[in-house]
Amino acid sequence: MAPNKVSAPLEIEVKFLFPSDAYPLLENTIALKAAGTAPAQMHQVTAYYDTPELDLLQAGFSLRVRQTGGQYVQTLKTQQSKRQLNFHRKEWEWHVASEQPDLDLLSGTPLRNWRKDFRGKLVPVWTSDICRTVHTFEHNGALVECSLDDGILWSGEKATDLQELELELKRRPVTALYDLALEFVANNPLRLGVLSKAERGYFLLGPVSA
């Protein structure tokens, strides 16, 4: 396994929700836009961790471990700013050995002083199971990762379906990301997704405040 390195702590993306019967139309639209590039298809099972008192949520963070093809990736993210239409968040990411979070990796993050408080207290509060198709292509000078997600989020006996289109900027200019988003909206039944997967998962737990 490669040495763990903290990724550049920045994520810029736009999310859209769509009805399940629109999946084939979106798939065709994206395939035309990404002509000549083969998509990556993957099955992702992700556990989101917090304390029973939801201390991470209250502090403005989400912590997850995602399993894809036998590999585990731990990710810490800040919450979305309520003043922004796009998702513009800080992000730290590491490869880990199992589905259990490695709290020592938080030493280079704003949660460095919380590690001892979290030991033995973090539990999976909700989980997602998603089939993802990813196209990566250039648009107006920018490199964009376009993901189609189809799956489910659950916590205990509560569950909700998820159909989501995610456009993530991998290389600027950022204006190209918005141009692409407008193009997709004009030709597909999309509505802006204002919640991250983490926020949608926390809603399954009932009324919470951050």
Side-chain angles (χ1 to χ4, degrees):
M1 181 178 297
N4 287 306
K5 293 183 179 180
V6 177
S7 62
L10 181 64
E11 179 186 50
I12 302 175
E13 63 185 33
V14 180
K15 290 177 179 286
F16 294 102
L17 306 180
F18 60 89
S20 58
D21 58 2
Y23 192 97
L25 175 62
L26 273 168
E27 197 172 34
N28 185 61
T29 300
I30 296 168
L32 291 174
K33 177 61 65 176
T37 64
Q41 295 182 323
M42 57 200 75
H43 178 213
Q44 298 180 330
V45 178
T46 307
Y48 282 75
Y49 288 82
D50 208 330
T51 67
E53 296 77 26
L54 304 183
D55 290 315
L56 276 171
L57 174 65
Q58 302 297 331
F61 292 89
S62 68
L63 179 66
R64 74 186 189 204
V65 178
R66 172 170 290 167
Q67 179 183 0
T68 306
Q71 300 293 317
Y72 297 91
V73 175
Q74 174 177 310
T75 305
L76 176 72
K77 291 187 181 185
T78 59
Q79 289 184 14
Q80 162 72 0
S81 169
K82 293 180 171 52
R83 296 183 179 182
Q84 296 173 320
L85 292 179
N86 66 312
F87 286 82
H88 188 169
R89 300 171 294 188
K90 292 184 178 180
E91 178 185 86
W92 297 263
E93 194 168 87
W94 312 265
H95 288 281
V96 290
S98 72
E99 70 275 7
Q100 294 299 318
D102 183 346
L103 299 186
D104 289 335
L105 296 174
L106 302 180
S107 61
T109 77
L111 296 182
R112 62 179 65 87
N113 295 326
W114 293 42
R115 288 176 295 158
K116 291 182 179 179
D117 295 334
F118 287 154
R119 290 195 188 279
K121 296 182 180 180
L122 293 182
V123 295
V125 290
W126 65 274
T127 304
S128 68
D129 190 326
I130 292 172
C131 292
R132 167 170 283 196
T133 301
V134 181
H135 287 270
T136 304
F137 54 87
E138 291 193 1
H139 179 78
N140 292 349
L143 186 66
V144 179
E145 184 177 276
C146 179
S147 301
L148 267 180
D149 289 345
D150 184 18
I152 188 171
L153 315 178
W154 80 87
S155 177
E157 297 182 354
K158 296 181 179 179
T160 184
D161 292 333
L162 181 140
Q163 285 81 37
E164 187 175 84
L165 168 67
E166 178 182 295
L167 303 174
E168 182 174 351
L169 188 68
K170 293 298 185 180
R171 188 182 68 229
R172 296 173 185 262
V174 69
T175 52
L177 183 70
Y178 299 128
D179 290 340
L180 181 62
L182 291 172
E183 185 176 324
F184 277 123
V185 168
N187 297 294
N188 298 277
L190 298 170
R191 58 188 178 91
L192 186 66
V194 297
L195 299 177
S196 67
K197 288 184 181 68
E199 289 168 322
R200 293 183 66 178
Y202 274 116
F203 271 117
L204 291 175
L205 306 180
V208 294
S209 60

